[in-house]
Amino acid sequence: MAAARRTVIENGAIATVDADDTEYASGHVVMAGDRIEAVGAGKAPEGLENVVRRIDASGHLVTPGLVNTHHHFYQWLTRGLATDHNLFDWLVALYPTWARIDETMVHAAAQGSLAMMARGGVTCAMDHHYIYPKGSGDLSGAIVRAARETGVRLTLARGSMDRGEKDGGLPPDFAVETLEGALAATEATVDEHHDASFGAMTQVAVAPCSPFSVSTELLAQGAELARRRGVRLHTHGSETVEEEKFCHELFGMGPTDYFASTGWLGEDVWMAHCVHMNDSDIAAFARTGTGVAHCPSSNARLAAGIARVPDMLAAGVPVGLGVDGTASNESGELHTELRNALLINRLGPHRESALNARQALRLGTYGGAQVLGRAHELGSLEPGKLADLVLWRLDTLAHASIADPVTALVLGAAAPVTASFVHGRQIVENGRLLHVDEDAVARSTREQARRLARIAAGG
Ligand SMILES: [Zn+2]
């Protein structure tokens, strides 16, 4: 076997986000093929063979790549609409437009979403896609293709909805699938796209949308399907007071008890939002190892509330960060969520001790890898893990006067990405994507957004 080609990064500050939060004021990272081979203080060891590239990271902070744990790529085409609504009103306003998406639109939207995240240091993304209009083409295939094109690692959460208005649900009846249809299509997506091996570029999760848009049967049978196939489970949970009221009215219990009754607590489950959780809900998540995708900007945009992240972390709940769909977080970036997670949680009862900068960075890296079930592969800079990492430039006007690099990254303005690597392959150079034409992506997202608006208006 040919020796792995090595890339040596030297002279940068390094935040490994390992179990001890090891940092180096000036250190090195050696990548060999798709893996991290060495991390440490000072220069890289001398005498390394097969070094194809040396990167001088002076003025930079090197971190693990950011991991996004909740998103809806298709929403890239419906940003900036229904801007003054709460979740339920916002959904009702947008469902009729969303129900007109097709494969071309979803591909453009996925490229836009992935490109925006990758430019901001995301190396592992997820897409929770739950709208599959009849005759709309191969939407899952379009999403996977877009991830391959940009070079970002992907978890595709194959969503579904089968509780339309006639069954007491929120989505219009024309936007939902049947129970049998949703389960069969989800399993087909696992067959076609899920890779269970170490270092997989594409994984699939089973992801019925939410308690107010899916039947109890779809939740229960979806959980059985996921466990039979050995894939993870994802959904939205405890997002708003309206959802809590809905669960009490329809099921006679709160969302967490309802999830427990349908098999939806466990270390193979992660849930978006989890804003309205009482102490016993948090204890149930901790006891079962159920993970949380914390989406602070989206929760603020939709006036959902403040998730109790400090209490979750204290209880031992795995927590990652999420952009959420860009119809409720128009920026579409994850690095700003590091900052927002810290700031918004300090508005809660724990005040200044809620989260610090290093905890925020951990949520966006190792925490994300944990909730995606990939902490043994991703989320920290340690020998043997996958070479997914980012060089953040901190020596320009925006950050140069901040002494501590992690503080600069989390509390400062969004830092420029000089280089980003996924699986040892560079995907971003000086803030520009290397494998797709960013300007062409911008044009096609604009065209497809206009096309969708026209079709939705009946034109
Ligand atoms: Zn969401």
Side-chain angles (χ1 to χ4, degrees):
M1 208 173 84
R5 292 150 61 89
R6 291 192 169 88
T7 297
V8 173
I9 301 168
E10 290 176 311
N11 308 322
I14 296 172
T16 66
V17 199
D18 67 7
D20 302 320
D21 264 333
T22 307
E23 294 178 13
Y24 303 103
S26 179
H28 65 269
V29 179
V30 180
M31 295 187 278
D34 59 8
R35 305 292 178 92
I36 294 166
E37 185 177 51
V39 185
K43 297 274 190 187
E46 297 210 0
L48 289 173
E49 290 177 5
N50 216 7
V51 174
V52 294
R53 190 170 171 200
R54 284 184 182 272
I55 299 173
D56 179 2
S58 303
H60 287 75
L61 172 65
V62 185
T63 70
L66 301 185
V67 179
N68 187 44
T69 62
H70 186 68
H71 206 309
H72 313 288
F73 291 174
Y74 76 92
Q75 292 181 8
W76 194 259
L77 304 185
T78 60
R79 296 194 295 163
L81 304 175
T83 51
D84 306 306
H85 294 50
N86 70 35
L87 175 71
F88 278 14
D89 296 342
W90 173 86
L91 286 169
V92 168
L94 290 171
Y95 279 138
T97 301
W98 291 344
R100 310 303 297 271
I101 56 173
D102 64 21
E103 186 177 331
T104 307
M105 294 174 193
V106 167
H107 179 255
Q111 275 199 327
S113 300
L114 287 157
M116 193 68 203
M117 282 188 288
R119 279 171 27 136
V122 168
T123 55
C124 181
M126 80 80 78
D127 186 12
H128 184 190
H129 190 88
Y130 53 84
I131 297 190
Y132 290 86
K134 281 192 195 72
S136 56
D138 180 7
L139 304 189
S140 296
I143 294 160
V144 170
R145 184 154 42 94
R148 259 184 220 135
E149 288 158 353
T150 47
V152 177
R153 209 180 285 286
L154 176 73
T155 292
L156 172 60
R158 205 292 181 184
S160 47
M161 304 193 293
D162 73 334
R163 189 191 287 275
E165 277 169 315
K166 73 173 167 43
D167 300 317
L170 205 62
D173 293 321
F174 60 81
V176 304
E177 297 174 277
T178 62
L179 169 65
E180 298 72 24
L183 287 166
T186 301
E187 183 148 22
T189 307
V190 175
D191 286 335
E192 191 172 353
H193 296 296
H194 182 67
D195 177 359
S197 61
F198 188 99
M201 288 301 291
T202 310
Q203 295 201 328
V204 175
V206 174
C209 188
S210 66
F212 50 83
S213 61
V214 310
S215 66
T216 305
E217 294 73 27
L218 182 49
L219 277 175
Q221 293 177 36
E224 284 167 20
L225 163 63
R227 290 183 176 127
R228 179 162 52 77
R229 298 302 305 266
V231 299
R232 296 180 73 74
L233 297 86
H234 179 68
T235 191
H236 293 94
S238 307
E239 184 171 355
T240 63
V241 285
E242 289 83 9
E243 176 190 334
E244 201 174 0
K245 189 161 166 271
F246 178 97
C247 287
H248 277 286
E249 280 173 10
L250 247 77
F251 315 124
M253 59 186 110
T256 299
D257 291 334
Y258 179 57
F259 286 127
S261 76
T262 50
W264 273 78
L265 295 185
E267 58 186 19
D268 53 359
V269 182
W270 86 105
M271 255 178 245
H273 307 306
C274 303
V275 172
H276 298 275
M277 303 263 283
N278 61 31
D279 290 347
S280 97
D281 297 334
I282 291 175
F285 270 54
R287 195 169 56 243
T288 56
T290 307
V292 171
H294 176 47
C295 307
S297 294
S298 172
N299 293 158
R301 159 79 154 81
L302 294 173
I306 303 172
R308 297 172 58 189
V309 173
D311 297 325
M312 293 174 188
L313 294 177
V317 176
V319 182
L321 293 180
V323 166
D324 203 1
T326 46
S328 67
N329 179 5
E330 276 75 1
S331 81
E333 307 169 296
L334 192 66
H335 54 333
T336 49
E337 298 303 297
L338 304 176
R339 183 169 191 266
N340 287 348
L342 185 153
L343 295 179
I344 287 174
N345 280 284
R346 287 192 180 184
L347 297 174
H350 296 276
R351 300 187 58 190
E352 69 277 11
S353 62
L355 278 181
N356 63 41
R358 282 163 176 83
Q359 286 173 306
L361 176 60
R362 177 170 290 276
L363 292 180
T365 53
Y366 188 83
Q370 258 185 313
V371 306
L372 295 183
R374 307 195 69 172
H376 59 300
E377 301 166 89
L378 312 169
S380 58
L381 301 178
E382 297 179 77
K385 281 196 159 182
L386 295 163
D388 291 14
L389 59 84
V390 181
L391 277 75
W392 306 92
R393 185 159 184 198
L394 298 179
D395 64 354
T396 67
L397 174 67
H399 304 91
S401 61
I402 304 175
D404 176 55
V406 175
T407 298
L409 177 70
V410 173
L411 287 181
V417 170
T418 294
S420 174
F421 292 83
V422 177
H423 217 71
R425 175 177 181 243
Q426 190 172 357
I427 64 164
V428 175
E429 167 106 9
N430 292 327
R432 299 286 292 183
L433 297 157
L434 287 174
H435 307 297
V436 293
D437 177 346
E438 205 172 298
D439 300 325
V441 173
R443 274 194 303 277
S444 75
T445 56
R446 190 172 182 84
E447 276 163 24
Q448 295 304 319
R450 286 179 170 165
R451 201 178 131 239
L452 175 58
R454 209 163 48 235
I455 291 171

